[in-house]
Amino acid sequence: MKENQPTIFEISKPGRFALDLGKGDVPACDLETLVPAHLLRAKPAELPEVSQPDLMRHYTALSTRNFGVDSGFYPLGSCTMKYNPKVNEDVCRYPGFTDLHPLQDPESAQGALELLYNMAQHLAELAGMDAVTLQPAAGAHGELTGLKIIKAYHRSRGETRTKVIVPDSAHGTNPATATVCGLETVGVKSAGDGLVCLEALKAAAGPDTAALMLTNPNTLGLFEKNIREIAEIIHDAGGLLYYDGANMNAIMGLARPGDMGFDVVHLNLHKTFATPHGGGGPGSGPVGVKKPLIPFLPVPVPSFDGQKYGLDYDRPSSIGRIHSFYGNFGVIVRAYAYIRAMGPEGLRQVSEDAVLNANYCLSRLREDYHAPFAGNCLHECVLTARNQKPFGVKALDIAKRLLDYGYHPPTIYFPLIVEEALMIEPTETESKETLDGFIRAMREIAAEAGTDAARILSAPHSTVAGRLDETAAARKPVVRWKP
Ligand SMILES: *Cc1c(COP(=O)(O)O)cnc(C)c1O
């Protein structure tokens, strides 16, 4: 890999081209009569001019600079970076899907509407909900949709409830969503065992409680075993329970948020249901609700009258539209293909294997890395760099050193309540050999902290770029090349 890959403009030579289209046999049209003169370029655009092999080599070289789940192990906690079966990509590229126009008559898009309708049913079944909207484009967007629904519900009952309770282990999107919805976040502390402190929750819940936002298993990879009591406390106060479904990979076919007492759920199709993500690419965050909340779902809702599939817009209590057209359709198709291919048994196996893999990592790394919580985990485990800190080695340094071993680092410094956190989510798609390789690398780094900390502190050594100035990258990003 070249350290300083020139840009496509730098390798450009006047007169070169990648493809010669030849002379067209269509009579040349008079551009000036088609396009008003003031909209025409005065001189041709300065596009790079390169031969086809140079073009191919340039972009192929760039493509290998990305790290993806297809190129290596990617144990980024809370993100469920699982391998995505390629058959899902084939299915979502069927011309029957790609050639549809979102504005065409529902009569002529029955297959696509049936897929949307069935998908909503499958997700409702998995989450224990009564209805699902597929419109939201991501988990955070699902949270926004869910809180809007919850607000509309309270308003319909003549109640003004302004507070959202969020545990201190929660993902940052939870309090952010509450703020965007004009609600106030009330934090509750976790107890020493990493679970929601019931006493703190009781003290926080009251007549102004709109909702509790919770993920289960929580972001420490621990199952909130007091979920029934938690639900009772919130429901007794007149509030609703919102389930952040980012950790659904731990419990599919084993437990359902609806049965735990949750009223609203979002699922991250791009995490749990084998849809490529990372790099901010399209996602999907369907939201499921219990019966009393169905009237408030966003429009349109896919419908079926026993004969024909359609789109229902006639919903007077709806919160309205939250996405153009019908959600991120291609993502929904991929996830649908995955669910159908796995089946109920397969999905349960996914969760069981994800939990097994995480516990394998936890138990084999416990000797070298401090584990802040006793006992087993669910689909991800949290360790810390406490044992390495005396040598000056922090979680960030361990993450950087892992790059030299060819692994994507785990999530670090999240959850916020664990000092020097390293959060590992191996997912179910990895073999024992892959996990053993990662564990070996982690243990070598732990040993190296005692013998050659400087080598860790100056890592990575094998990547195109070494340590970056992360503050400058965030504060003064240079995103445009200039000659
Ligand atoms: C990823 C994640 C979210 C947000 O989901 P996006 O799809 O990234 O918007 C919310 N909560 C938790 C716990 C997450 O891991």
Side-chain angles (χ1 to χ4, degrees):
M1 203 185 298
K2 272 184 253 172
E3 188 148 321
N4 265 321
Q5 177 86 22
T7 67
I8 190 94
F9 287 94
E10 286 167 296
I11 60 171
S12 171
K13 289 274 179 300
R16 288 200 187 149
F17 52 88
L19 196 66
D20 183 5
L21 291 174
K23 255 196 157 3
D25 56 0
V26 181
C29 58
D30 182 5
L31 256 187
E32 254 112 285
T33 58
L34 285 174
V35 185
H38 73 279
L39 293 179
L40 285 176
R41 284 180 188 280
K43 52 181 185 126
E46 286 170 34
L47 298 175
E49 298 172 77
V50 292
S51 70
Q52 194 169 119
D54 287 343
L55 181 75
M56 286 307 297
R57 285 170 197 157
H58 178 75
Y59 285 109
T60 304
L62 285 186
S63 76
T64 62
R65 287 194 170 191
N66 284 337
F67 189 93
V69 78
D70 286 353
S71 49
F73 185 47
Y74 207 137
L76 194 61
S78 208
C79 291
T80 313
M81 300 300 292
K82 58 169 78 177
Y83 173 77
N84 309 294
K86 294 300 165 263
V87 66
N88 306 336
E89 297 300 310
D90 280 350
V91 171
C92 83
R93 284 169 175 77
Y94 283 172
F97 294 129
T98 54
D99 292 351
L100 281 175
H101 192 280
L103 287 178
Q104 82 189 54
D105 185 354
E107 285 268 349
S108 63
Q110 286 293 299
L113 290 172
E114 181 179 355
L115 185 145
L116 291 179
Y117 184 83
N118 288 347
M119 182 61 161
Q121 308 278 312
H122 288 329
L123 296 178
E125 174 66 29
L126 264 170
M129 291 285 133
D130 295 316
V132 165
T133 172
L134 303 172
Q135 301 271 338
H141 196 198
E143 293 173 27
L144 179 76
T145 306
L147 283 198
K148 276 180 173 291
I149 290 171
I150 288 171
K151 263 179 94 169
Y153 168 80
H154 290 311
R155 201 181 308 123
S156 75
R157 293 157 50 94
E159 289 190 4
T160 321
R161 291 173 172 264
T162 54
K163 299 206 165 129
V164 177
I165 302 175
V166 179
D168 57 5
S169 59
H171 194 265
T173 50
N174 294 183
T177 301
T179 303
V180 168
C181 284
L183 298 165
E184 195 188 320
T185 300
V186 180
V188 285
K189 280 212 179 320
S190 301
D193 57 2
L195 303 180
V196 170
C197 171
L198 293 182
E199 292 314 311
L201 187 66
K202 270 183 208 153
D208 51 4
T209 302
L212 165 75
M213 295 180 92
L214 191 67
T215 174
N216 198 15
N218 65 23
T219 59
L220 302 164
L222 305 173
F223 192 78
E224 297 280 357
K225 58 183 195 300
N226 304 318
I227 186 60
R228 285 291 171 85
E229 286 92 322
I230 291 172
E232 213 172 280
I233 293 168
I234 297 301
H235 285 151
D236 284 351
L240 295 178
L241 270 84
Y242 183 93
Y243 182 82
D244 175 340
N247 293 335
M248 194 71 189
N249 215 44
I251 61 164
M252 278 189 295
L254 300 165
R256 308 194 305 171
D259 299 334
M260 298 176 203
F262 286 93
D263 305 288
V264 186
V265 169
H266 86 244
L267 299 170
N268 305 59
L269 298 190
H270 48 283
K271 291 183 180 172
T272 315
F273 298 96
T275 301
H277 72 298
S284 179
V287 168
V289 296
K290 287 277 178 67
K291 212 175 220 139
L293 299 166
I294 293 177
F296 309 104
L297 286 174
V299 286
V301 175
S303 61
F304 182 53
D305 66 5
Q307 293 197 319
K308 287 220 168 93
Y309 295 91
L311 292 163
D312 183 8
Y313 289 88
D314 184 19
R315 307 177 66 88
S317 303
S318 166
I319 60 164
R321 266 201 176 279
I322 49 103
H323 193 282
S324 56
F325 301 119
Y326 319 111
N328 280 338
F329 185 71
V331 178
I332 296 167
V333 175
R334 287 178 176 94
Y336 184 72
Y338 177 72
I339 288 175
R340 294 298 303 259
M342 299 306 286
E345 293 296 316
L347 291 176
R348 171 151 24 113
Q349 183 90 46
V350 162
S351 288
E352 286 174 349
D353 290 352
V355 171
L356 182 64
N357 279 357
N359 278 287
Y360 182 67
C361 291
L362 175 62
S363 65
R364 296 226 29 222
L365 288 171
R366 249 194 166 126
E367 261 175 50
D368 300 279
Y369 292 88
H370 162 245
F373 303 103
N376 294 337
C377 61
L378 264 78
H379 67 307
E380 59 194 355
C381 63
V382 176
L383 298 165
T384 87
R386 182 196 278 185
N387 301 348
Q388 289 69 40
K389 219 173 174 182
F391 305 107
V393 172
K394 297 192 290 191
L396 176 75
D397 305 311
I398 294 165
K400 297 288 186 198
R401 187 71 175 119
L402 268 173
L403 296 172
D404 288 333
Y405 288 86
Y407 297 111
H408 192 288
T411 294
I412 52 173
Y413 300 111
F414 178 78
L416 303 176
I417 53 172
V418 177
E419 206 179 314
E420 293 295 330
L422 291 153
M423 184 196 211
I424 300 164
E425 181 181 6
T427 84
E428 74 285 359
T429 58
E430 302 302 330
S431 67
K432 180 169 177 298
E433 291 72 25
T434 300
L435 299 184
D436 285 338
F438 171 74
I439 289 162
R440 212 177 304 123
M442 285 289 286
R443 298 179 106 173
E444 279 179 30
I445 295 170
E448 197 176 38
T451 57
D452 189 4
R455 187 139 180 83
I456 304 180
L457 298 178
S458 53
H461 305 282
S462 62
T463 50
V464 175
R467 286 257 175 157
L468 301 173
D469 183 340
E470 297 188 2
T471 311
R475 300 259 163 88
K476 292 183 203 144
V478 181
V479 293
R480 184 162 179 264
W481 175 79
K482 287 201 192 109

